Amino acid sequence: MKPALQFRLHQQLTLTPQLQQAIRLLQLSQLELEAELRQIAESNPLLEFAEEAEDEETVDRESAESEYPSAESVAAAGSTDSEDTGEWADGGGAEAPIDFSSSSVGSSGSLGSRGDDDFEPQNAAPETLQQHLLWQLNMASFNPRQHLIATVLIDALNASGYLNEGLEAVLAVLPADLKASLDEVDAVRRQLQGFDPAGVGSLDLRDCLRVQLEQFDPATPQRELALRIVDSELELLARNDIARLARRLRAGEDDVAAAAVLIRSLDPRPGASLDATPVEYVAPDVYALRDGSRWRVSLNPDAQPRLGLNQHYCGLIAQARGEDASWMRGQLQEARWLIKSLESRAETLLKVAEAIVRRQSAFLDYGPEAMHPLVLREVAEEVAMHESTISRVTTRKYIHTPRGTFELKYFFSSGVSTEDGGTASATAIQAMLRKLIDAEDARKPLSDQAIAEELQRKGIQVARRTVAKYREGLRIPSSSERQRAG
């Protein structure tokens, strides 16, 4: 065969760089989007955030006023000087009361009039468990040898305050020239257990509870019985089997119950009270508020990045020549594409949120039991988009409602058939299940089969295995465990 050239026409769907960027921005959460835009703005001088532009305009205006004062300001300054001069010349300044609202304290007064909104709270870093213990160690009367061992022990504690690695691991970390023994390390550990919070440095739960009980006054009712339970019968206590505990300890059930109450008042994780992990709050992307007889959805303006073009650099494009002009025009085009992608992201988010609120208005009105089954395909058909787009929009995007703040994914759930031919969402069934368990008799809790039969009487066809799956998803123990805990 001879080589030859052939022309063929065919259609091919390709993702342009602009479309790829729009898809990437669509799936980012609020914090990730902010970080992404900051990184892009650093490499593109034609992009700037709105707050940065406002700060630059304020600085330029103040510098211009200071360099070229206006006639009104000069006249005002002159009149003030003349009034002050006349007042002192009349001799009344020494006897007249000082007016703190005058221009003489204008700078401090204007600072206070702004309020605290202009200043971000600068909270001190929370104290960690190790810092809290080291402070007590420095105040204790330990010799240098004990101080070194205690420091290594404190560093080896986990977040709950336990020494999970054991004394052998601590002994291996100590300097060889110290020649410390295992008994010496354990003696320092026992002194450390008396620090605040009580029980830190324990090897296990039994050791932790015993240390805390030993710090009670010996005259505390049922203290000795509680120590016996901790030493030998923690497993029965966990099952709340008071009758069997009383038989094994040869004590009255009332006394055993009182000792169990005393043990439950202790802290099984003493180090958790000093956990320095910061609390993370979710800022909603959209709001759903009731307006008369209908629900209205709006974007959260604080969650939308205010990105714009730097007018100063835009004005320099016409003056640039050669490669500089070509580069700046390319940056300008990329900036416009990015701003357009952000506008498209906001419109898509609002459109999808409105569709979800329309479908789940019963949930907003009556609660989780009124949640309807909903899948991505239904919303995709309503807003004329692909299911993958709906999945990206609803992932890590949050909506604030009068019933709380939820991820948009929360409103999607599968359906279970009902007797009348309809469907009930899994979220609604879980809400019914929790309501039934909350209203049950603590002495005779409902089994999974009984809950399934109760739901069937309400017209919801659900199997016992499904009830067990939903119950475990809600972290509700089984009927036998609930009975022992009650």
Side-chain angles (χ1 to χ4, degrees):
M1 296 179 61
K2 295 182 179 180
L5 296 177
Q6 295 181 353
F7 291 96
R8 293 181 181 179
L9 295 177
H10 68 280
Q11 293 181 345
Q12 183 179 359
L13 183 62
T14 59
L15 292 178
T16 63
Q18 296 77 29
L19 184 57
Q20 293 178 4
Q21 184 184 62
I23 293 175
R24 172 173 171 76
L25 296 179
L26 191 63
Q27 65 187 7
L28 295 179
S29 64
Q30 179 183 337
L31 295 178
E32 292 173 343
L33 178 64
E34 182 76 16
E36 180 81 8
L37 295 180
R38 291 286 180 185
Q39 185 176 1
I40 296 176
E42 289 179 359
S43 60
N44 192 339
L46 280 84
L47 283 172
E48 66 176 0
F49 286 87
E51 58 269 19
E52 297 175 356
E54 293 174 0
D55 294 342
E56 292 179 0
E57 291 177 1
T58 303
V59 172
D60 294 342
R61 189 184 309 112
E62 292 177 352
S63 60
E65 290 178 356
S66 62
E67 186 175 357
Y68 304 103
S70 61
E72 292 81 359
S73 61
V74 173
S79 61
T80 303
D81 292 342
S82 62
E83 291 174 1
D84 292 345
T85 305
E87 182 180 353
W88 288 106
D90 293 340
E95 298 178 359
I98 300 176
D99 185 7
F100 289 97
S101 62
S102 63
S103 59
S104 61
V105 292
S107 58
S108 60
S110 61
L111 182 63
S113 63
R114 291 190 221 172
D116 296 334
D117 295 338
D118 294 340
F119 299 95
E120 295 183 359
Q122 301 294 330
N123 297 328
E127 187 180 34
T128 63
L129 174 64
Q130 279 72 19
Q131 292 173 344
H132 185 62
L133 294 175
L134 287 174
W135 172 77
Q136 297 176 73
L137 177 62
N138 293 330
M139 301 292 292
S141 57
F142 281 23
N143 59 44
R145 185 183 182 87
Q146 294 174 328
H147 191 283
L148 176 59
I149 297 175
T151 302
V152 176
L153 285 169
I154 291 174
D155 289 339
L157 298 178
N158 62 10
S160 298
Y162 284 90
L163 197 65
N164 287 344
E165 297 181 359
L167 297 179
E168 293 79 3
V170 175
L171 188 62
V173 175
L174 291 172
D177 56 355
L178 191 64
K179 297 181 180 179
S181 63
L182 200 62
D183 293 338
E184 185 180 8
V185 174
D186 189 49
V188 175
R189 182 189 67 85
R190 293 185 181 278
Q191 289 181 275
L192 187 65
Q193 286 181 298
F195 284 15
D196 178 61
V200 292
S202 299
L203 299 175
D204 52 27
L205 177 61
R206 196 184 308 274
D207 186 21
C208 179
L209 297 179
R210 165 167 276 282
V211 169
Q212 296 181 52
L213 284 172
E214 289 175 346
Q215 292 191 357
F216 280 89
D217 191 319
T220 303
Q222 311 307 332
R223 172 178 176 269
E224 296 302 323
L225 185 58
L227 285 170
R228 291 172 60 191
I229 294 175
V230 168
D231 287 339
S232 59
E233 304 297 344
L234 267 184
E235 291 76 11
L236 286 179
L237 178 65
R239 294 198 294 266
N240 200 31
D241 197 342
I242 301 298
R244 194 171 180 183
L245 272 173
R247 289 195 302 268
R248 286 199 175 184
L249 299 174
R250 297 180 181 180
E253 291 191 10
D254 293 340
D255 294 338
V256 172
V261 172
L262 179 62
I263 295 173
R264 290 195 179 99
S265 67
L266 306 177
D267 189 358
R269 299 176 61 220
S273 59
L274 291 168
D275 188 5
T277 304
V279 179
E280 297 182 0
Y281 299 93
V282 172
D285 298 272
V286 291
Y287 288 103
L289 299 175
R290 192 170 188 83
D291 184 11
S293 60
R294 56 182 298 185
W295 289 92
R296 294 192 178 275
V297 181
S298 61
L299 294 173
N300 180 7
D302 295 333
Q304 304 304 316
R306 296 185 297 171
L307 200 64
L309 297 176
N310 189 309
Q311 298 302 322
H312 174 70
Y313 282 101
C314 290
L316 295 178
I317 295 179
Q319 304 175 12
R321 295 291 183 272
E323 295 181 358
D324 294 340
S326 177
W327 180 82
M328 294 187 70
R329 281 194 293 268
Q331 295 295 315
L332 177 61
Q333 186 65 29
E334 291 182 6
R336 288 174 175 171
W337 284 334
L338 179 61
I339 294 174
K340 187 176 180 180
S341 298
L342 291 175
E343 294 174 354
S344 176
R345 178 184 185 274
E347 293 174 359
T348 304
L349 178 60
L350 181 61
K351 188 183 298 184
V352 172
E354 288 175 344
I356 293 175
V357 169
R358 281 195 297 269
R359 293 296 187 101
Q360 301 294 2
S361 58
F363 163 80
L364 300 176
D365 290 330
Y366 306 108
E369 295 183 21
M371 181 82 78
H372 293 299
L374 186 64
V375 294
L376 296 174
R377 176 177 49 80
E378 299 176 17
V379 176
E381 292 175 353
E382 182 174 345
V383 299
M385 295 180 182
H386 196 269
E387 291 183 35
S388 61
T389 303
I390 306 301
S391 178
R392 292 187 180 95
V393 173
T394 55
T395 302
R396 293 174 297 175
K397 313 295 189 307
Y398 297 87
I399 180 172
H400 178 76
T401 70
R403 295 191 175 274
T405 302
F406 305 92
E407 187 181 11
L408 292 178
K409 286 281 189 185
Y410 172 79
F411 297 94
F412 295 89
S413 62
S414 58
V416 176
S417 300
T418 59
E419 287 184 353
D420 56 2
T423 56
S425 72
T427 304
I429 297 175
Q430 290 176 1
M432 296 178 189
L433 188 150
R434 181 179 287 279
K435 187 176 181 180
L436 288 173
I437 292 178
D438 291 341
E440 70 182 3
D441 186 357
R443 293 172 296 180
K444 295 181 180 180
L446 297 172
S447 63
D448 294 341
Q449 182 62 35
I451 294 175
E453 294 174 356
E454 185 66 27
L455 291 175
Q456 288 175 3
R457 280 192 286 270
K458 294 183 178 182
I460 299 175
Q461 302 295 328
V462 59
R464 182 195 62 80
R465 290 175 296 179
T466 305
V467 172
K469 182 182 69 173
Y470 289 163
R471 176 181 54 76
E472 292 172 358
L474 294 172
R475 297 183 179 179
I476 298 176
S478 62
S479 57
S480 58
E481 293 175 349
R482 297 201 303 274
Q483 184 179 22
R484 286 195 297 264

